[in-house]
């Protein structure tokens, strides 16, 4: 049946060619084996970098089916690589393709027999179509890294293509493609000029409701290309009356989910080469970006009349249900749901381990050090201690001081939440979204990470003392004012949010479908661009280099009551951080909201880049908070926040630069690709990374180097901006403000 589907897909793809060319002879795949053409060695076959990208098309399909949006490209696969059951089918498709003028990409034959034994365990650990691949499961991550090494050991595009085709035909496509993606992004040389597709394009099921796929398949089969309508991506309506249902637009935001996936791809949890795992301040960054997510989530809850988030108590029932309504396109099965008030206690062994590991962590806090397997002590000192604590609790297999002893609290919590629906595996149900990198749709993810943040806060409270005034003051500089102006309405200190719809071409992620494009329409939050104005006086007689730090502070809860200052401090929302040259005297600093290193240019991801450098830059600079979610939604009457500005001495704060730095997009949450150091020496979140002294008010906390301004954010629920013009390449409409 599968072979028939492959032939059907090929026949549909060739229909357009047949309409304008002589009808080809019918090729019967059941009558003899067609001879393969003479094959050259890998070094003698000219394979363009772009030819490698067809490997990502429609991941569930065998790689010998027709590729491209119009299915007008095919790989000419060596017979030796093909499984016996596919040899005649693949030969028939290739022969028909030749007769119809389809472009054939020759795949050179490289003898890879020796690797069959090396990868023999993969089919057992991750059966081709019988198990979900999890980008969060250590055994699966290890397999992906093995494939990345397998692809790395090549000398030409031809050899890389041969290895990738060989692997795609034998092993789970998702793990093979993850290894290939890592190789293409990391590898120096020609491959860096290949602009990678975004994960939304070849794995749309990670971001879309299950009902969308049946609608789009009908549209593609019945309606010719060019006449198809855009299919809306619907919200998950199972939680309409809950706090989570009210913030569906945030939890289900496509690029919020991409951001979380991308961060963990860029910062693997220890099962990879040291150079990709042991990055500067990795643990601290893990703490910081998750805390920023928690702060922004609470801002959305308050804006929708919902109370602040509560941490997960793993011995208490999980109050919130979660029904993902998502489909795994590879296996064609849905992700399991979690009922309301589900208990985690049936997983007795895992719960007992969590108890032990929590006790050992608190013993570390009491004694002031971790103990390595060799018996050495790692002292807890300052912000470096937080970095060590985070690597221990996550737990990072490479960077944890003692993985076997201190355990994997973070990963174990994801595991028990991911198996809560079938805790004893009695029903052979697959893992839920809590065990893969799709978790940010589930409020359980945030409760889990608030539990983790409470553990980090225990360290901060005990080992990081509140800042003294001299640590918060730059003697030469006084910040005299800060404000924002909407670029559209020109209102001062009033910002506006609304809905926008954007279209994304998802055709290359849909297996066994006809030719042509099909778009999904996403409704997401959007805001009008705005501009900061900051007034700073430099009393020195020479120019000074400053670092401007901008935060948004929540001041009231869902009922309009004042928030306690400890909450405001802990969950301050970073808006921007940038260098500025301060001339002697008064300085008026103007800064566009889209220039922030918190977010990234989402349109650049989908726009075809004209140079090899830009393609490489886009490949490695895709990590950052969505620009569409830079500010909270607010509400119809307007919610007041405090805009906080601070300027510090960048000559003291600047970390050493690296000659290999590629870009600075999204570096606040993602660091700088190619750099040895995080750009800012200060603690992430400074000056809000530590608790305030007892009795402090916001006014008493401020120094001459700071200023605050009340601003209002208003939301227009009736405004829905339509999709804008297509970006270059016709892949997507604009996602930027």
């Amino acid at each position: 049946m599968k072979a028939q589907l492959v032939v059907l897909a090929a026949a549909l793809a060739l229909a357009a060619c047949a309409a304008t060319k002589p009808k080809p002879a019918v090729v019967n795949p059941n009558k003899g084996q067609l001879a393969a053409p003479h094959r050259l060695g890998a070094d003698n076959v000219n394979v363009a970098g772009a030819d490698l990208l067809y490997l990502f098309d429609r991941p569930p399909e065998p790689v010998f089916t027709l590729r491209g949006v119009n299915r007008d490209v095919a790989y000419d696969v060596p017979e030796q690589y093909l499984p016996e059951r596919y040899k005649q089918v693949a030969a028939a498709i290739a022969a028909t393709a030749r007769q119809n003028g389809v472009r054939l990409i020759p795949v050179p034959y490289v003898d890879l027999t020796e690797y069959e034994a090396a990868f023999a365990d993969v089919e057992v650990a991750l059966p081709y179509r019988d198990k979900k691949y999890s980008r969060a499961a250590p055994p699966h991550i290890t397999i992906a890294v093995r494939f990345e090494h397998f692809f790395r050991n090549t000398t030409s595009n031809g050899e890389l293509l041969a290895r990738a085709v060989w692997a795609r035909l034998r092993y789970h496509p998702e793990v093979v493609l993850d290894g290939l993606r890592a190789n293409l992004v990391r590898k120096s040389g020609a491959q860096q000029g290949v602009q990678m597709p975004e994960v939304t394009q070849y794995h749309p099921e990670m971001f879309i409701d299950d009902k969308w796929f049946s609608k789009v398949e009908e549209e593609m089969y019945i309606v010719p290309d060019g006449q198809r309508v855009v299919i809306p991506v619907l919200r998950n309506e199972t939680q309409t009356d809950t706090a989570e249902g009210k913030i569906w637009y945030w939890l289900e935001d496509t690029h919020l989910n991409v951001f979380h996936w991308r961060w963990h791809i860029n910062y693997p949890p220890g099962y990879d080469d040291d150079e990709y795992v042991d990055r500067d301040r990795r643990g601290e960054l893990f703490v910081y970006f998750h805390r920023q997510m928690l702060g922004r989530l609470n801002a959305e809850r308050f804006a929708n009349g919902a109370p602040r988030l509560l941490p997960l108590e793993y011995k208490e029932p999980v109050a919130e249900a979660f029904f993902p309504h998502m489909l795994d396109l590879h296996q064609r099965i849905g992700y399991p749901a979690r009922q309301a008030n589900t208990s985690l206690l049936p997983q007795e062994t895992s719960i007992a381990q969590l108890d032990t590991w929590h006790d050992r962590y608190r013993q570390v806090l009491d004694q002031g050090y971790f103990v390595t397997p060799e018996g050495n002590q790692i002292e807890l000192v300052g912000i470096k201690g937080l970095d060590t604590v985070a690597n221990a609790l996550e737990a990072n297999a490479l960077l944890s001081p003692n993985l076997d002893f201190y355990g994997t609290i973070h990963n174990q919590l994801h595991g028990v939440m991911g198996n809560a629906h079938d805790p004893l595996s009695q029903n052979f149900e697959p893992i839920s979204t809590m065990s893969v990198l799709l978790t940010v749709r589930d409020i359980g993810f945030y409760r889990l990470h608030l539990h983790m943040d409470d553990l980090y806060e225990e360290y901060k409270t005990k080992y990081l003392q509140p800042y003294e005034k001299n640590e918060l003051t730059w003697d030469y500089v006084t910040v005299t004012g800060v404000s924002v102006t909407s670029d559209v309405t020109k209102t001062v200190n009033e910002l506006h949010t609304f809905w926008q719809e954007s279209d994304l071409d998802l055709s290359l992620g849909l297996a066994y479908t006809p030719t042509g494009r099909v778009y999904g329409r996403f409704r997401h939050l959007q805001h009008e661009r705005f501009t900061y104005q900051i007034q700073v006086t430099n009393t020195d007689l020479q120019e000074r280099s400053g670092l401007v730090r901008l935060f948004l502070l929540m001041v009231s809860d869902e009922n309009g009551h004042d928030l306690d200052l400890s909450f405001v401090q802990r969950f301050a929302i970073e808006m921007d951080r940038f260098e500025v040259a301060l001339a002697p005297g008064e300085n008026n600093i103007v800064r566009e909201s889209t220039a922030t290193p918190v977010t990234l240019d989402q349109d650049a991801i989908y726009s075809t880049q004209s140079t090899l450098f830009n393609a490489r830059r886009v490949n490695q600079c895709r990590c950052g908070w969505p620009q569409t979610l830079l500010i909270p939604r607010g509400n119809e009457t307007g919610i007041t926040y405090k805009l906080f500005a601070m300027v510090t001495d960048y000559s003291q704060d600047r970390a050493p630069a690296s000659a290999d730095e590629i870009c600075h997009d999204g570096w606040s949450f993602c660091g700088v690709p190619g750099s040895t150091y995080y750009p800012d020496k200060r603690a992430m979140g400074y000056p809000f990374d530590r608790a305030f002294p007892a009795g402090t008010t916001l006014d008493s906390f401020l120094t001459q180097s700071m200023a605050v301004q009340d601003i209002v954010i208003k939301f227009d629920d009736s405004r829905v901006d339509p999709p804008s013009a297509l970006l270059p390449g016709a892949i997507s409409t604009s996602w930027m403000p």
Side-chain angles (χ1 to χ4, degrees):
M1 180 62 183
K2 291 179 181 177
Q4 292 173 341
L5 285 171
V6 174
V7 175
L8 173 61
L12 287 166
L14 292 169
C17 298
T20 57
K21 298 184 179 183
K23 187 174 181 179
V26 176
V27 179
N28 186 343
N30 298 314
K31 288 189 177 181
Q33 177 64 50
L34 295 174
H38 174 69
R39 297 196 176 275
L40 299 173
D43 293 335
N44 297 317
V45 175
N46 183 22
V47 175
D51 291 341
L52 298 168
L53 297 185
Y54 294 111
L55 291 161
F56 292 89
D57 289 6
R58 305 175 181 90
E61 290 187 17
V63 75
F64 55 77
T65 59
L66 300 184
R67 315 266 99 189
V69 171
N70 294 314
R71 291 192 182 267
D72 52 3
V73 177
Y75 288 122
D76 193 4
V77 181
E79 178 185 339
Q80 298 93 324
Y81 288 176
L82 292 163
E84 191 64 37
R85 63 189 297 266
Y86 279 153
K87 286 184 177 180
Q88 292 187 350
V89 174
I93 291 175
T96 306
R98 286 191 194 92
Q99 293 170 347
N100 285 276
V102 169
R103 176 175 171 248
L104 285 174
I105 301 171
V107 179
Y109 173 70
V110 178
D111 187 358
L112 300 171
T113 308
E114 63 179 294
Y115 292 100
E116 292 178 356
F119 287 112
D121 62 310
V122 172
E123 185 59 22
V124 177
L126 196 59
Y128 194 100
R129 291 195 186 277
D130 295 331
K131 192 170 185 178
K132 284 185 183 292
Y133 168 59
S134 170
R135 292 167 180 83
H140 295 182
I141 297 170
T142 302
I143 294 172
V145 171
R146 287 167 60 188
F147 277 114
E148 195 277 324
H149 291 173
F150 174 63
F151 297 135
R152 186 190 306 176
N153 189 28
T154 58
T155 58
S156 66
N157 281 349
E159 185 181 359
L160 178 58
L161 177 61
R163 289 183 177 229
V165 167
W166 178 86
R168 276 277 272 113
L169 286 166
R170 282 165 173 74
Y171 307 107
H172 199 298
E174 292 182 63
V175 72
V176 172
L177 291 179
D178 267 13
L180 180 62
R181 178 206 53 77
N183 173 266
L184 291 174
V185 170
R186 294 173 178 178
K187 190 173 181 179
S188 60
Q191 282 78 35
Q192 288 188 329
V194 177
Q195 184 175 340
M196 296 292 297
E198 185 53 279
V199 64
T200 49
Q201 296 167 255
Y202 62 93
H203 283 305
E205 71 275 14
M206 293 171 63
F207 313 98
I208 293 178
D209 66 288
D210 50 8
K211 296 184 288 295
W212 186 86
F213 293 98
S214 59
K215 296 176 183 177
V216 79
E217 287 169 357
E218 176 182 341
E219 187 75 12
M220 292 192 77
Y221 271 109
I222 302 300
V223 182
D225 187 27
Q227 300 178 32
R228 295 169 185 159
V229 298
V230 176
I231 308 298
V233 176
L234 302 178
R235 57 168 291 193
N236 186 340
E237 296 180 335
T238 61
Q239 305 179 101
T240 304
D241 297 326
T242 65
E244 291 66 52
K246 294 176 181 178
I247 59 171
W248 66 270
Y249 60 90
W250 199 89
L251 295 172
E252 298 176 24
D253 185 87
T254 302
H255 290 99
L256 172 59
N257 283 264
V258 171
F259 161 69
H260 179 254
W261 177 85
R262 178 71 59 186
W263 194 96
H264 282 282
I265 293 297
N266 288 0
Y267 289 89
Y271 303 92
D272 206 331
D273 298 339
D274 290 7
E275 64 180 298
Y276 304 115
V277 177
D278 192 7
R279 296 176 62 180
D280 186 42
R281 300 168 68 181
R282 181 207 183 279
E284 184 190 357
L285 190 57
F286 179 85
V287 174
Y288 181 58
F289 102 82
H290 281 104
R291 177 171 286 194
Q292 284 289 302
M293 292 183 78
L294 293 170
R296 290 171 177 273
L297 173 80
N298 274 308
E300 299 303 324
R301 290 174 71 93
F302 295 155
N304 285 274
R308 70 177 67 178
L309 187 72
L310 296 176
L312 175 70
E313 300 292 344
Y314 61 85
K315 289 189 174 181
E316 300 295 329
V318 181
E320 301 87 355
F322 180 62
F323 289 76
H325 292 284
M326 297 174 68
L327 186 67
D328 183 317
L329 287 186
H330 184 68
Q331 293 182 292
R332 287 283 174 169
I333 60 175
Y335 282 93
R338 182 183 67 247
Q339 299 288 340
N341 297 311
T342 294
S343 174
L344 306 178
L345 295 180
Q347 302 176 69
E348 294 179 0
T349 301
S350 296
I351 297 299
Q353 287 176 324
L354 284 168
D355 286 343
T356 298
W357 295 336
H358 279 78
D359 290 343
R360 289 174 179 172
Y361 170 60
R362 293 192 170 103
Q363 181 183 7
V364 166
L365 295 183
D366 289 340
Q367 66 193 20
Y369 56 85
F370 286 97
V371 179
T372 69
E374 298 77 23
N376 300 320
Q377 295 180 3
I378 299 178
E379 301 289 336
L380 298 179
V381 179
I383 202 65
K384 178 62 178 176
L386 177 64
D387 194 62
T388 305
V389 163
N391 287 327
L393 298 188
E394 183 191 3
N396 189 289
L398 177 67
L399 303 179
S400 172
N402 191 336
L403 187 68
D404 291 338
F405 185 75
Y406 296 111
T408 61
I409 292 178
H410 166 265
N411 297 343
Q412 184 96 318
L413 285 171
H414 271 284
V416 296
M417 289 285 283
N419 291 305
H421 58 285
D422 190 15
L424 304 180
S425 299
Q426 294 172 317
N427 302 297
F428 303 102
E429 279 288 286
I431 55 176
S432 77
T433 59
M434 279 297 292
S435 289
V436 295
L437 295 184
L438 308 174
T439 54
V440 298
R441 289 170 167 251
D442 183 354
I443 199 64
F445 166 85
Y446 300 94
R447 293 194 61 197
L448 184 159
H449 275 279
L450 184 53
H451 174 91
M452 297 303 302
D453 199 70
D454 285 346
L455 297 179
Y456 305 136
E457 192 67 13
E458 289 182 37
Y459 171 81
K460 287 189 172 189
T461 301
K462 191 160 189 172
Y463 287 90
L464 298 176
Q465 298 303 311
Y467 288 112
E468 300 290 342
K469 281 292 185 181
N470 66 309
E471 297 177 284
L472 300 170
T473 306
W474 188 11
D475 291 337
Y476 292 108
V477 167
T478 300
V479 181
T480 58
V482 59
S483 62
V484 288
T485 302
S486 168
D487 291 355
V488 178
T489 62
K490 305 304 179 184
T491 52
V492 178
N493 296 326
E494 182 178 293
L495 303 179
H496 303 99
T497 63
F498 51 92
W499 299 120
Q500 183 179 350
E501 293 183 333
S502 294
D503 296 342
L504 181 60
D505 176 15
L506 302 173
S507 53
L508 293 181
L510 304 174
Y512 307 112
T513 52
T515 63
R517 299 185 186 276
V518 64
Y519 290 85
R521 178 159 293 169
F522 298 81
R523 178 170 291 193
H524 56 88
L525 193 64
Q526 188 58 282
H527 61 270
E528 295 173 352
R529 289 191 181 201
F530 55 92
T531 303
Y532 300 101
Q533 296 89 26
I534 308 151
Q535 291 75 45
V536 181
T537 301
N538 174 13
T539 59
D540 198 3
L541 298 178
Q542 61 181 337
E543 183 177 278
R544 290 280 184 169
S545 177
L547 188 65
V548 178
R549 304 170 186 273
L550 298 176
F551 288 84
L552 196 67
L553 308 181
M554 294 173 275
V555 295
S556 57
D557 64 13
E558 74 279 11
N559 296 314
H561 300 151
D562 290 346
L563 290 165
D564 54 281
L565 193 58
S566 62
F567 182 93
V568 175
Q569 164 263 315
R570 182 172 170 181
F571 296 112
I573 296 170
E574 183 177 5
M575 298 294 289
D576 204 345
R577 208 179 334 171
F578 60 95
E579 182 182 5
V580 63
L582 298 173
E586 296 181 357
N587 295 262
N588 186 42
I589 302 166
V590 178
R591 173 81 164 180
E592 290 295 326
S593 59
T594 53
T596 173
V598 171
T599 67
L600 80 164
D601 183 348
Q602 291 164 251
D603 289 352
I605 295 172
Y606 297 112
S607 299
T608 302
Q609 302 299 313
S610 58
T611 67
L612 295 182
F613 174 80
N614 286 343
R616 177 191 178 201
R617 186 177 183 279
V618 167
N619 285 344
Q620 300 195 15
C621 306
R622 295 185 179 191
C623 185
W625 189 258
Q627 176 65 222
T628 54
L629 298 181
L630 176 61
I631 62 175
R633 194 199 73 169
N635 63 21
E636 289 82 353
T637 58
I639 295 179
T640 299
Y641 301 87
K642 288 190 180 294
L643 178 63
F644 170 93
M646 181 181 189
V647 181
T648 59
D649 185 352
Y650 199 35
S651 68
Q652 300 298 313
D653 298 346
R654 181 189 286 109
S658 169
D660 296 326
E661 291 182 7
I662 299 168
C663 64
H664 288 75
D665 306 54
W667 68 259
S668 287
F669 296 171
C670 300
V672 176
S675 179
T676 306
Y677 300 100
Y678 187 80
D680 183 2
K681 287 183 180 179
R682 297 274 191 178
M684 297 176 195
Y686 171 87
F688 297 106
D689 61 296
R690 302 184 187 184
F692 292 166
T696 299
T697 65
L698 183 58
D699 286 341
S700 66
F701 172 74
L702 299 179
T703 70
Q704 68 180 50
S705 303
M706 308 172 185
V708 294
Q709 172 64 53
D710 285 354
I711 69 168
V712 173
I713 301 179
K714 289 186 175 181
F715 170 61
D716 185 351
D717 190 36
S718 65
R719 178 179 171 183
V720 183
D721 281 14
S724 57
L726 285 170
L727 295 169
I731 294 171
S732 174
T733 55
S734 176
W735 296 81
M736 296 294 286

